Amino acid sequence: MASKQTAPIMNQGQGETSYAHNSSIQNAEQNKMKSLIEAVVVELCSNTGTLQPGKMVIVDLGCSTGPNALALVSIAVEAIHAHCLQFQQPSPEVSVLLNDLPENDFNTVVKSLVTLRQSNDPVVVTGITPGSFYERLFTSESVHLVCSSNSLHWLSKAPEDLKTNLIPAYDIDEHSRHERLPIVLEAYAKQYRKDFTLFLKLRAKELVSGGRMIISLLGRRSDIIATKFPFLPEIVAQILCVMVSEGVIDKEKFDSFYA
Ligand SMILES: C[S@@+](CC[C@H](N)C(=O)[O-])C[C@H]1O[C@@H](n2cnc3c(N)ncnc32)[C@H](O)[C@@H]1O
């Protein structure tokens, strides 16, 4: 989603419609990252050069709220514990930092962070780093492991080319929609290339030499040409169109909605 114009935060709290209670699909994606995180932790713990002087900083970018916020960093902390136990190695001191946009519901996250701090053998200190991952978040060469799941497909903003030329992402008129699809796709791809390049440059400054990143995000294979509107499930877009035709949603507002 474009992050600035659309107040893109996940539903806060613990209620029925909260992200905390509606993120099991994302959690399944996180579980697929478990073995990768464990392997990387072993590499980091075995590389005394990288770990000097026995400290490790682990961050999660776009942590959101609810149980998923701590899932990846918890896997990493447990893997450190297991590795050090197995090889009778002293555990490094671990600093866990969770990031999301400032509007995120960090209240719930903070409470679970305290639990993570108390329940682990390696010394674990925790913190919140609010801000956009399209900006500098950490000091230079301070981070050993960057994790991020289901977040990096969010753009920093709506694609400029579409906004400037008033081209809706999903034209209600079917003919115009199909005709403009290549323009819409390229505009999103261009914004993504720009954002992701910036993201890599920023993290390159923040990672220690030999540091690692494990990132999972939504995507599609580049050799599959999209024939359908690829940004919202078609069904959601169609429902929104009906709401426009019934006057529930203003057409101008719908046309300026860039997911
Ligand atoms: C779908 S949630 C994923 C949460 C969690 N990582 C998971 O896997 O369930 C995406 C999160 O990315 C955050 N996000 C989007 N753009 C961001 C940005 N530029 N900087 C930091 N966080 C961002 C959103 O606020 C949201 O909480």
Side-chain angles (χ1 to χ4, degrees):
M1 292 223 183
S3 70
K4 280 200 176 122
Q5 301 88 335
T6 52
I9 55 161
M10 303 286 104
N11 271 0
Q12 55 188 19
Q14 300 281 357
E16 203 188 331
T17 60
S18 64
Y19 188 70
H21 284 180
N22 293 278
S23 45
S24 53
I25 294 175
Q26 290 88 334
N27 182 245
E29 290 304 314
Q30 291 182 312
N31 288 335
K32 290 184 195 160
M33 299 163 78
K34 188 168 187 272
S35 55
L36 281 174
I37 295 176
E38 287 168 347
V40 154
V41 162
V42 169
E43 281 171 28
L44 286 170
C45 288
S46 313
N47 183 347
T48 43
T50 308
L51 266 191
Q52 282 282 344
K55 292 182 183 138
M56 201 188 288
V57 176
I58 300 170
V59 305
D60 185 307
L61 305 181
C63 65
S64 194
T65 183
N68 291 11
L70 265 78
L72 303 182
V73 293
S74 300
I75 292 170
V77 171
E78 276 162 31
I80 294 170
H81 184 52
H83 176 84
C84 294
L85 210 62
Q86 185 183 355
F87 293 96
Q88 302 283 302
Q89 206 176 301
S91 295
E93 293 181 358
V94 183
S95 175
V96 168
L97 300 172
L98 297 184
N99 153 264
D100 206 290
L101 294 168
E103 299 80 12
N104 184 51
D105 174 17
F106 283 116
N107 285 338
T108 329
V109 178
V110 166
K111 290 190 185 110
S112 3
L113 265 183
V114 173
T115 318
L116 177 78
R117 214 169 91 182
Q118 286 161 353
S119 64
N120 282 288
D121 177 41
V123 175
V124 180
V125 295
T126 53
I128 297 290
T129 309
S132 168
F133 47 57
Y134 295 121
E135 292 164 6
R136 275 296 295 275
L137 293 168
F138 311 104
T139 51
S140 310
E141 297 181 48
S142 64
V143 180
H144 297 81
L145 176 58
V146 171
C147 303
S148 181
S149 58
N150 304 301
S151 300
L152 258 159
H153 49 277
W154 295 54
L155 301 178
S156 65
K157 58 182 175 183
E160 289 290 353
D161 295 354
L162 300 186
K163 269 184 71 186
T164 319
N165 298 309
L166 299 178
I167 298 175
Y170 191 91
D171 206 310
I172 291 179
D173 177 70
E174 199 177 339
H175 178 69
S176 313
R177 184 163 72 241
H178 283 289
E179 222 170 38
R180 282 175 170 167
L181 185 61
I183 300 173
V184 173
L185 284 179
E186 179 47 31
Y188 270 91
K190 191 172 157 193
Q191 185 63 48
Y192 188 75
R193 278 193 293 271
K194 205 168 157 191
D195 283 344
F196 196 60
T197 304
L198 174 64
F199 175 87
L200 291 177
K201 282 186 181 156
L202 295 166
R203 302 297 85 81
K205 290 210 167 88
E206 296 166 348
L207 277 164
V208 298
S209 157
R212 297 282 197 275
M213 284 208 292
I214 300 186
I215 289 167
S216 161
L217 68 154
L218 280 182
R220 74 184 157 82
R221 280 172 40 182
S222 56
D223 59 340
I224 296 177
I225 312 275
T227 49
K228 286 190 167 183
F229 179 64
F231 312 111
L232 276 184
E234 186 87 11
I235 185 93
V236 176
Q238 282 167 1
I239 291 166
L240 292 175
C241 283
V242 172
M243 291 170 85
V244 171
S245 69
E246 288 176 353
V248 182
I249 299 174
D250 194 36
K251 180 167 181 306
E252 231 169 65
K253 204 170 179 185
F254 177 73
D255 283 348
S256 65
F257 176 52
Y258 297 103

